Amino acid sequence: MHLVSITYPVFMKNIAKKQSRNHLWAKRFGGIAAAFVLLAGCAVGYGAYRQNYAVDTTVSLDVNPSVEIQVNRKDQVLEVTPLNEDGKRVIGDMDFSGSDLDVTVNALIGSMLQNGYLSELANSILISVDNDDAQRGAELQEQLTQEVNNLLQTNSFSGAVLSQTVSDDNTLRAQAEQYGITLGKAQLIQQIAAENSRYTFADLVPLSINELNLLRLCDMHSVPIATNIATAEVLLRGLDQGDLDYREGIHPDIVEPLPVHRAVC
């Protein structure tokens, strides 16, 4: 009895301590598990957000209307923004949110045709793709170029599709914002101005893509640009159609036939 009266309280005290330690560890492990569950939930939520709501690619379409299309990783449209008054007219009251990119591009090209922005005399369009993944950007550029090229093979004319991926250039972005133009048009202007010192960036901003393309082709074929740009267009069309091929017989050693170029850069 003497041994029992001494050890029983000590034994119960030890049990209480063990239970207290076990309860403490259970609380700690429970908190850690809850934290992992929360982190996993955040990761899943962030992944879903990036997949559905974050801007993955910006595609710009320039003719004289300038329009920017922002899409997610699924190539679903998040927003379509006009950058000038002509762009607003092209978009009209159409709401593209949630639409596939190819459906949106098809509708915008159709509106440009319907409103007369693309025609036999003004048939050039610039497609620019801005994506941090170079390979993904190049694939989308090729896909859109083919789609738009097919859309512009009409009964009355064939379109000239220029396409490019946009480089990450802070100076270029600043110029695009300064002049209220797309990053794609700014990059094309920069390339033309770099190749010909007669042009400045500011001089080329007001020109349409068709006019910029004519300047570019004139430089490529060494055709002097006329004061009236329509004259330059006539010269280039004549070269493409072979109207000056008869000169081969007159000056065979001087004049060489020019290949027909599809205006894609």
Side-chain angles (χ1 to χ4, degrees), residues 6-19:
I6 293 175
T7 59
Y8 183 75
V10 174
F11 178 72
M12 293 302 296
K13 187 176 181 181
N14 289 338
I15 291 176
K17 286 182 178 180
K18 288 181 180 180
Q19 288 178 339

Side-chain angles (χ1 to χ4, degrees), residues 7 13 66 70 75 86 113 119 129 179 189 214 225 245:
T7 59
K13 187 176 181 181
S66 291
Q70 293 182 330
D75 286 343
D86 289 332
L113 288 167
S119 63
V129 178
Y179 290 100
I189 289 173
L214 286 173
I225 187 66
D245 287 352

Side-chain angles (χ1 to χ4, degrees), residues 1 89 98 158 239 260:
M1 294 296 295
R89 184 180 178 189
S158 295
L239 288 170
V260 176

Side-chain angles (χ1 to χ4, degrees), residues 98-161:
S99 301
D100 290 337
L101 176 60
D102 56 348
V103 173
T104 300
V105 170
N106 195 316
L108 291 172
I109 296 299
S111 181
M112 290 180 185
L113 288 167
Q114 185 177 3
N115 286 285
Y117 292 113
L118 286 167
S119 63
E120 185 178 3
L121 295 179
N123 66 342
S124 299
I125 182 170
L126 173 65
I127 303 171
S128 305
V129 178
D130 184 6
N131 190 295
D132 291 337
D133 185 334
Q135 181 178 351
R136 167 68 175 146
E139 290 173 354
L140 196 54
Q141 174 195 355
E142 183 178 356
Q143 172 191 328
L144 292 173
T145 300
Q146 185 60 48
E147 290 178 3
V148 173
N149 193 52
N150 291 338
L151 290 171
L152 294 184
Q153 302 309 307
T154 68
N155 294 329
S156 57
F157 71 94
S158 295
V161 181

Side-chain angles (χ1 to χ4, degrees), residues 131-243:
N131 190 295
D132 291 337
D133 185 334
Q135 181 178 351
R136 167 68 175 146
E139 290 173 354
L140 196 54
Q141 174 195 355
E142 183 178 356
Q143 172 191 328
L144 292 173
T145 300
Q146 185 60 48
E147 290 178 3
V148 173
N149 193 52
N150 291 338
L151 290 171
L152 294 184
Q153 302 309 307
T154 68
N155 294 329
S156 57
F157 71 94
S158 295
V161 181
L162 294 82
S163 67
Q164 61 183 358
T165 54
V166 178
S167 60
D168 189 10
D169 186 330
N170 291 332
T171 301
L172 196 63
R173 290 183 187 276
Q175 286 180 307
E177 292 177 3
Q178 177 185 351
Y179 290 100
I181 59 177
T182 66
L183 188 60
K185 184 175 181 180
Q187 182 167 286
L188 177 62
I189 289 173
Q190 185 185 64
Q191 292 170 355
I192 295 174
E195 293 172 0
N196 195 322
S197 59
R198 291 179 299 172
Y199 311 130
T200 66
F201 192 97
D203 291 338
L204 300 178
V205 167
L207 300 184
S208 68
I209 297 302
N210 199 65
E211 292 167 334
L212 290 172
N213 193 27
L214 286 173
L215 289 180
R216 175 175 164 274
L217 291 174
C218 282
D219 288 339
M220 285 173 58
H221 297 302
S222 300
V223 175
I225 187 66
T227 304
N228 182 351
I229 202 164
T231 304
E233 183 167 8
V234 170
L235 287 172
L236 289 168
R237 284 180 179 272
L239 288 170
D240 280 344
Q241 294 171 5
D243 294 343

